[in-house]
Amino acid sequence: MSGYIEAVRGLACELLDLMAEGLWVPDRSVFSRLIRDDDSDSILRLNHYPPMPLLCKDKDSSSPCNHSKVGFGEHSDPQILTILRSNDVGGLQISLNDGAWVPVTPDPTAFCVNVGDLLQAMTNGRFVSVRHKALTNSYKSRMSMAYFAAPPLDARIAAPPEMVTPTKPALFRPFTWAEFKKAVYALRLGDSRLGLFRTEVDEHVG
């Protein structure tokens, strides 16, 4: 388990370095160093969604049965980045801008990478945290492993100076991971937390 955590942390750091490079931030490790820190608050979570068979109210009804239940409700991940791996059973769905839910095809040989709320704040909105949910399957168990890459609790979360300009002012005020984490636990799972940290300039813009 320790070896796996080390490997996915390395993957998360490599991805964050590439993101910084793609955003033309001179300090390539501006995001990843928060995860490499010895006091990083990153965690690994193992999820098991057992089969949840549903009984149709009317077996003779021509309407199809819904063979899925919500296993983990709609939300965005509060951390920086999530590295997710699952078995060959589907269930993960992501929300598009128009509100439509799209299933993610399961592939046990691949990783699914979710942008978290902190990365949205640190990139001044260039990367947007994805809302997603997990559904159970009526016939098969779904298992997943999620590595949530997070900074130290006292880390200051703010966009690099290169990403804040007169035409693109800061969308969020600086805050610490501890402050944001407290807000996460004070709200319901599906509530938006970043809205609590938006700047007044952004609120006036829209």
Side-chain angles (χ1 to χ4, degrees):
M1 191 63 70
S2 296
Y4 181 82
I5 292 173
E6 191 69 25
V8 290
R9 180 174 65 176
L11 174 60
C13 289
E14 184 176 352
L15 291 172
L16 290 170
D17 288 346
L18 290 172
M19 289 179 177
E21 184 178 327
L23 293 170
W24 298 95
V25 178
D27 184 358
R28 196 170 182 264
S29 62
V30 65
F31 304 136
S32 64
R33 74 162 62 97
L34 296 172
I35 300 173
R36 291 191 177 100
D37 194 293
D38 290 339
D39 293 324
S40 164
D41 194 39
S42 302
I43 60 171
L44 179 74
R45 188 175 70 206
L46 278 68
N47 302 308
H48 174 229
Y49 304 94
M52 297 288 289
L54 300 182
L55 298 177
C56 294
K57 293 181 179 180
D58 184 0
K59 294 184 178 180
D60 297 326
S61 174
S62 58
S63 60
C65 285
N66 179 10
H67 292 289
S68 298
K69 280 185 177 180
V70 175
F72 205 91
E74 174 185 351
H75 67 286
S76 61
D77 295 333
Q79 295 87 355
I80 298 175
L81 206 66
T82 303
I83 308 293
L84 178 72
R85 191 174 184 181
S86 66
N87 61 358
D88 60 352
V89 178
L92 178 64
Q93 294 189 354
I94 61 173
S95 177
L96 303 182
N97 290 334
D98 60 2
W101 286 97
V102 178
V104 177
T105 303
D107 183 352
T109 66
F111 290 103
C112 180
V113 181
N114 287 340
V115 170
D117 293 337
L118 293 190
L119 189 58
Q120 179 172 340
M122 291 192 297
T123 60
N124 206 26
R126 289 290 296 277
F127 285 97
V128 179
S129 58
V130 60
R131 297 189 70 79
H132 55 284
K133 62 183 177 181
L135 303 181
T136 62
N137 187 283
S138 295
Y139 310 105
K140 297 180 180 180
S141 290
R142 179 174 181 266
M143 297 190 69
S144 66
M145 295 186 294
Y147 175 75
F148 299 96
L153 288 171
D154 61 354
R156 183 177 183 271
I157 306 301
E162 297 82 7
M163 301 207 66
V164 179
T165 66
T167 57
K168 184 67 173 177
L171 300 179
F172 307 95
R173 63 175 176 81
F175 55 87
T176 65
W177 169 230
E179 290 176 308
F180 194 77
K181 195 173 182 180
K182 183 178 180 180
V184 169
Y185 287 115
L187 299 173
R188 293 178 301 178
L189 178 66
D191 289 343
S192 172
R193 312 102 171 186
L194 275 176
L196 299 175
F197 298 88
R198 286 193 176 274
T199 60
E200 292 183 5
V201 172
D202 181 57
E203 289 172 357
H204 291 315
V205 171

